[in-house]
Each structure stands twice: as structure tokens, then as C-alpha cells.
Amino acid sequence: MRTLIFRAIAPYLTALMLLFSIFVTLRGHNEPGGGFIGGLLAASAFALYGIAFGVPEARRAMWFHPISVAGTGLLLSAISGLPSFFRGTPYLTGIWTTAPVFHFDVATIILFDLGVYLVVAGAFASIALALEDNGER
Amino acid sequence: MNQGTEAALLIALGFPFVGALLAPLVMLRFPRGGPWLLALAPTFAFITFAAQIGTVSSGNALVGGLPWIPSLDVGLSWYIDGLALAFALLVSGIGILIVLYAGGYLKGHPHHSRFMSFLLLFMGAMQGLVVADGFLTLFVFWELTSITSFLLIGFDHQREASRRAALQALVVTGMGGLALLAGLVTIGMATTTDTLSGLLANPDVLRSSALYVPALILILLAAFTKSAQFPFHFWLPNAMEAPTPVSAYLHSATMVKAGVYLLMRLNPVMGDTVLWETILPLFGGATLLVGSVLALRQSDLKLMLAYTTIGSLGLLVMLTGFGTETAVLGAVLYLIAHALFKGTLFMVVGILDHETGTRRIEDLRGLRSAMPLTFVAALGAGLSMAGIPLFTGFLAKETIYEALLAGGDAWSLLVLIVIILGNAAMAAVGLAVGLTPFTGSLRPTPQAPHEGPVLLWLGPVTLATFGLALALLSSAFYGAFADPMASAVAGLAVENHASPFPHVSLAFGLSLLTLAIGVAFYLGLQGMRRSIGGVLTAFGWGPDRGFDQVMRGLVTLSVRVTGVVQSGRLDVYITVAFVVVAAALWMPMLLTGELPVLPSIPQLLLHEWAVLLVAVVGLYAVVRTRNRLTAIVSLGIQGFAVALLFLLMGAPDLSFTQFMVETLSVVILALVMTRIRLEPTDHRPWNEKLLDGSIAILCGLGFGLLLLKVTQGTFDAALSAFFSANARIIAHGRNVVNVIIVDFRGFDTLGEIAVVTITGLAILAIIRIGTPQAKQEDRT
């Protein structure tokens, strides 16, 4: 698998896919996309990188263990529902506000979707990397 | 009821639990005064309950509670009538003394504070149980008493006997708890009520219901296991492994009476039938005889008391089921008298054990001058147990005999004889515990005997005093306490009239006869002990050993079942899973006969036909190829074609996700294949191929038909109309699919991503177990 062409192109492809995955996640509210599909894209990016350069290199590049990324995402999603308590609305009710500069809408929903993105990316990347890995964790 | 009373009752019910939470802190901070502080919890409850005597004795019942899930009508609720109040007063009143007694008894024990905590926890559970109104409240507190009892019996957890006794009590009473739950559900189905007050308001509904017999059997199972009726009596003597304060409180005065309480509570709605009036006296009588006979063979004072407790519980069940109002009066008086004298005697035995180092009846003589206060308490309680005039035990016995003499038929006579024999045996034990250790000349004991500290003797002396005082002030006692309780049990107003003083009547003559037989038993105790012991040894088998056999059988059975069900082979598991999937898909359609109408061939455009062709070619390759890797990739081709179809049919989100899922599936499947070192080609024999192929075709076909059926049904567009209309307005998003996922149904998504995370963790763990390196680490 590790042909020269593949190895030469893999870093650019991974970077592009990661960037695209974030783009897909953020635009998900209005156009096709969202946290789940974004997370899958990111996971494939890491899997690709792992196939090209070996798992230890991929893990070094990721910096965090993928399963902790998933855990962080779950925490983020769960926390994003808490502010609604202060409004007296049910758990996970979205709160919207307009940013003071640039005047675009921001919401707790975006945090929730980012949590979904991290969970999916982390969980699938950790499965894929662990499977690619022969012997070591 | 005014709000102040309601708040006070709520605090009274919750205080023991708070006390249990704080007990470790309190005992650490105030090692000396701790027990006194903790006794505040039952004291507050006792005062609160005592303040209700006026209301309740005039025939009213207090109803109240705290809602939890109002839509399901679930919450904490209480119904305090004469029966509940009498029990609540016993539980909290004796509770005060037991907390103090335990403070002295376990002083210096490394886990003293833990013990106090468990004790208060139990107290709270027992209080809740006796005042509960809602079935759910009743069941929760019932189970809580079983669990706290498990903790208390197994308190000395380093001894195997304690652990076994605790487990045994939990298994037996836990089984009863399940029966109670089923019984309450059955009663609820039969009467469409879920409160005791509702049940008591219409007493005849349950009796005339078709579900009466199953409900009765379940309720009796619950009551008999809890109140140690034959043949479930064996757990109670074993529970004597617990420290003595526990035995005095749980296993004589309170918890074991919960079963009797249940029977008394339901007597107005379940009693007065042939079944009730046959089963209860039968089992009660057997229990009374077994308990009395076994009590006489013991030489350990605590075990003697334990077996007479079984006998007393049998007597109570017998009287509850006898069916006359006077019998109920006798049962109520006996219950109160028994709580007082048995609690006292257990505590006395605890003091003897604590201060002399032994509780064998052969070793204890002549302690009257060394332990005068203990002697007074023991004597008072022993005489009450023997049924000597002036004591509450006498009142109870008089009333019981009167009730049975009123019957006049053979059945009453039989019951009477059984009760006289049982009472005589209990009188003998009462005298043996109350007199023998204190009379005669002093014998050497492991420790030099001396009076215990105030914390120890306060409880038994107080209880023994009550046992005398309540009888002497019998008219006040009846009016405030015993009559309301008996009226609640009988279901109509009844009144006591037994007098504590000797008088000329047939009942008094029977009392004297009982006492005479009792004294004869007492004098011949040593000989009887030997002969009963001989018979039992010759017989060998008993329910206690039977319990062990059942438990061993359960373990063996579960090992075998697990061996069959859990083969450990992945292909078996997957086959089973897919067979179930196929059944779930086909069964509803076949059973209702609603197979979908096959649609006509659709008018597709050329490029749509082309995509469909790609999918079919992909599938053909999957089936035809001999190489597994080719098969996996071909499956991916088919998936991509489906994703393209989604795109063409106007579901870009779905298509997008499908592409990613297919890509990752191919990657991960290929990785798994190399990982578990499968051979590149498939070598299944033809019969396996046939089976797997059939299951696969059934699953696929079933799913396809189901989808067809669903799309052919009428489609309720209410939800999708709502989502499309409101996605922009409420959730500020134009992509309806995403808005549903992250906003409208965000909580579902939270659950789903939790599942994804856990699945990731689980797969990681499975992979790590399989790695050679991890195995090496395990070895080193």
C-alpha cells in the first residue's frame, strides 16, 4: 500500500479532508452536512494517514488518544445542554444569540454538534487505528 | 391534616436517613455523646407519632405524602390509622432504646459508627414500611428493610457464618419481596387501586375478585418469609449471628413482625374467607410448635429466644387468621407484649454476654447481686413472657384463651391445645432466661461479672417497666393504643376488656394450666434438651440444609445453562442474532397476513438504471468471488451505488453519510480480516453455505418487504410538516435533517453518541486483549 505516490499525497489529502470535515460540520445547520458526517470524514482522514505512515506516526500526529477525543466530545455535548437550565427551559434546549462582531448567529447547538463530531471522529479513528496496528496499542 | 403535622411527619420519616448519613461524623466527633445525639432521630419520630394518638384513637386516619411523579401517581404517601400508629410507636420507641444500647454494646468496636449508620437506616425503612399507603411506597420500604437487615446480620463480615446468615436472610426475604411485588400488582389489577387506604375503603372488592387466590398466595409467601413461618423459619435463628442489638430490634420487635403487619393490614380485605382462616392457623400452628420445641433444645440463651420468637410469630399468624374479633384483640395485645418482653430479654442476654463473656445457660448462675438492674429487667420480662398476672403478657394470654373458648367447636379446641403447648414452652424459656442465670450460687465465668454501664441497662429496664405499667394502666393503654390498632385489624370498632388481676374464669384456669405445664417444662429442661437433640440428630435433614442444597443446585443449573447458551463461538452468536432479525421482520407480516402488494416496475431514467446495474454487479461479485478481500470491496461497490441512488432521489444528507459509512466499512472490514488472520478464501462446507445463505436471503428479503409495506401504508405527515415548518423559526436552521438530529431530538442524539463512545471503548478493549504483546505483559 505504501507506494511513493500514496505517501507523497497522503499528508495533503489528510489535511484537506480534516479541513473539509470541519467545514461540513459547521455548515450542517443550513446545508447538507453536520457533526456525524464530519466526524466520519475526520476518522477516514486519520485512517488514511495511519495507512500511509504507520500507526505510531498517526498517533503522534493526533497528539491525543482518539478515545479521549471521543470522551471529550461526549462531555462537550452533555455540557452544551446545561445553559438552558438558567433559562428555565428543558435540558438541551438551544440558546441562540447574535455575536457582537460580524453579526452572525451563535448557539449552544453548535457546541452540541461539535461534540457529536468529536465523538464520531474519536471513536472511529480509535477503532481503525487499533485495527491497523499490529501488536502495539 | 394541618401543614405543621404533615411537615413533622415528613421530618420524622426522613430524620433516621439523615442520621444514618451523619452517623460516622457524629461518632467520630463525639465518641461519648454520639449515641445520645443519634437517638434524637427516633426520639423526634416517637414524639411526632405520639402526638397523633389523640386524632387516631378517635377513629380518624392521617393521610398525606410527597408527590414524586404526579402523572403516574407515584410518590411517598402515608396512611396512619391505629395499626400503623401502634407499629410506628413501637419502631421509634424501641428504636430510641436500641440506639442507646448499641452505643454501649459496640463501644470501642472499630466499625462502631458504621453499625450505628446501618441501624438508623433500618429504622427509617421500618418506619416507612408501617406507615406506607401507596403500594410502591410499601414495596420500596419492605425491600429496604431486607437490604438493611442483610447489612446488619453480615456486620461481622469477616466470619463466614455471618456472611452465610446474611445471604440466607437476604435470599429468603428477598424472594418474599418479589412475591410481595407480584401480589401488590395482582391486587392492583383486581381492585384498580394502588393504595392501602383505597383498598380498605372498599373491603369486599378483592375478596369477590377472580384474582383473590393468586393474590392471597403471593401475599402469604411474602408475609411468611418475612415473619419466618415454617418452612421458611430457618433464616431467623441463623440471623442471630448479628450483634445482639440487631437481634433485639430486628429479629424480635420489628422487622420479623413486618409479615404479621402485612397480614393484619390486609385482614379486613383478604380475611373472612375459608382459605384465609385455614391456611393461616395451619402454618401459624406448625410454626408455633416447631419454634417451641426447637427453643427447648437450645442451651445458648440467644438461640432459645430466637426460636421462641419463631413460635410467637406463628402464634400471631394463627390468631390473625382465626377470624374472630376477640382473636384479633388477643393478637394485638400479644404483639405489643411480645415486642416489650422479647426486646428486653434479648438486651439482657446481650448484657450477660458482654459482661461475663458467655451466654450458655449452663455457665450462668447467681448473678443477681452482681447485676441487680439487669436481673430486675430480666425478671420483669421473663414473668411477662410466662404470662404471670399484672404483666402485659398475661393480658394477651387471657384474651387469646377467651377468644378460643368462645369458638366451642373441634377446630377451636385443636387451636387451643396447640397454643397452650406453645405458650407453656415459651413460659419455660421465659423463666429460664429471666431466672436461671441470676439464681443459685455464682459460677465462674470467662470475665468477672459486673453491672453494665447505663447505656446497656437503660433499654431493658425501660422496656420491662413498660411491660408492667401498660398492664397496670390497662384502660388507658387500651384506649390510646390497643383498641385503635385492633379496630384497624378487625375492620370494625372493637374494645379490650381483659384485666391484669387474677379473677375466677375458665380463661384464667387455662392460664394456670399453661403456667403449670410451663414450670414442668422448665424443671425438666435439661432432659428435654437431650432427647429433642437426639431426635433431631437422628433425623439429620432440615430446611437449613435444604437451603444449601437449593443454592448449590442453582449454581450448578446456571453453570450448565451458561455452558449451553454461551458457546463462545462468534459464528453461533451471529447466526442466532440474524435468525432473530429475520423472525422479527417476517413474523408480524406473516401473522397478520399483511404482505405488501408487489409494485409495478417503475419508470426510471437511463442513468438511474445504470446505477442500479452497478449495485447488482457489485452484489454478483460478492457472491461469486472466492477471495474475501474482493468480496468486501464488491460490497462497497454495491453500497456506493445505493448512495448514488439516494443522491439522485433527493436525499443528499443520507447519501453523503452513506458514502462515508461505506468507505469506513470497507477499510475496517479489510483491517479486521487481516487482524484475525482469516484465510483469503472461504472454505465453508456446502451445508453451512446453504444455512448462512438462507438466513441472509431471508433477512434481505424481509427488510425489503417491510420497507415496501411501510411505504405503501398511509403516511402521517404531521411530524415532517411540523419539522419543515418550524426548523427555520424555532431552531434557526434550514437543513431539517440536521436540525432534527441536534435540536428537536437532541436528547436522542446524546444517547446515541454515548453508545458510539462506549462501543469504541469496547472494541478497543477487545482488540487489546487479542494482541500478543498484551498477553506477554500479562504473563510477566
Side-chain angles (χ1 to χ4, degrees), chain A residues 28-31 33 44 96 133, chain B residues 653 660 675 731 734-735 738 742:
Chain A
H29 216 61
N30 293 321
E31 307 290 333
S44 346
W96 290 83
D133 206 350
Chain B
D653 268 290
M660 285 322 301
R675 181 94 199 167
R734 280 192 301 275
N735 178 0
N738 185 266
V742 298

Side-chain angles (χ1 to χ4, degrees), chain B residues 91-105:
Chain B
V91 170
S92 53
I94 299 181
I96 305 171
L97 302 172
I98 292 288
V99 166
L100 296 177
Y101 182 77
Y105 191 82

Side-chain angles (χ1 to χ4, degrees), chain A residues 28-34 37 40 44 67 74 77 91-92 96 109 112-113 119 123 127 130-133 135 137, chain B residues 653 656-657 660-661 664 668 671-672 675 731-735 738 742-743 746-747 753-754 756-757 763-764 771 777:
Chain A
H29 216 61
N30 293 321
E31 307 290 333
I37 180 71
L40 287 177
S44 346
I67 204 71
L74 190 57
S77 288
Y91 181 56
L92 282 174
W96 290 83
I109 293 297
F112 185 84
D113 218 9
V119 166
I127 297 168
L131 283 170
E132 284 171 27
D133 206 350
R137 53 220 53 197
Chain B
D653 268 290
F656 207 167
T657 312
M660 285 322 301
V661 168
L664 277 172
I668 288 178
L671 286 171
V672 168
R675 181 94 199 167
H732 305 251
R734 280 192 301 275
N735 178 0
N738 185 266
V742 298
D743 200 331
F747 199 67
I753 57 176
V756 170
T757 313
I763 293 178
L764 208 57
T771 55
E777 277 170 18

Side-chain angles (χ1 to χ4, degrees), chain B residues 24 43 57 70 82 113 126 151 198 201 219 235 244 315 339 442 644 654 720 751:
Chain B
T43 310
S57 63
S113 56
M126 194 66 204
L151 293 174
I219 292 292
W235 71 265
T244 303
L315 178 60
L442 197 64
L644 264 177
L654 207 53
S720 40

Side-chain angles (χ1 to χ4, degrees), chain B residues 489-515:
Chain B
V489 179
L492 53 116
V494 287
E495 270 181 34
N496 280 289
H497 46 78
S499 143
F501 303 105
H503 52 98
V504 181
S505 72
L506 194 52
F508 186 65
L510 287 179
S511 277
L512 288 181
L513 175 69
T514 311
L515 203 58

Side-chain angles (χ1 to χ4, degrees), chain B residues 417-497:
Chain B
I417 293 172
V418 169
I419 291 186
I420 288 180
L421 285 177
N423 270 343
M426 286 196 268
V429 172
L431 294 174
V433 180
L435 277 178
T436 310
F438 302 97
T439 51
S441 55
L442 197 64
R443 287 190 189 174
T445 49
Q447 293 164 29
H450 54 89
E451 188 61 87
V454 58
L455 279 173
L456 286 188
W457 57 255
L458 184 69
V461 168
T462 314
L463 280 188
T465 314
F466 265 98
L468 183 64
L470 289 185
L472 293 179
L473 306 170
S474 57
S475 60
F477 162 56
Y478 290 156
F481 209 61
D483 287 350
M485 180 173 173
S487 304
V489 179
L492 53 116
V494 287
E495 270 181 34
N496 280 289
H497 46 78

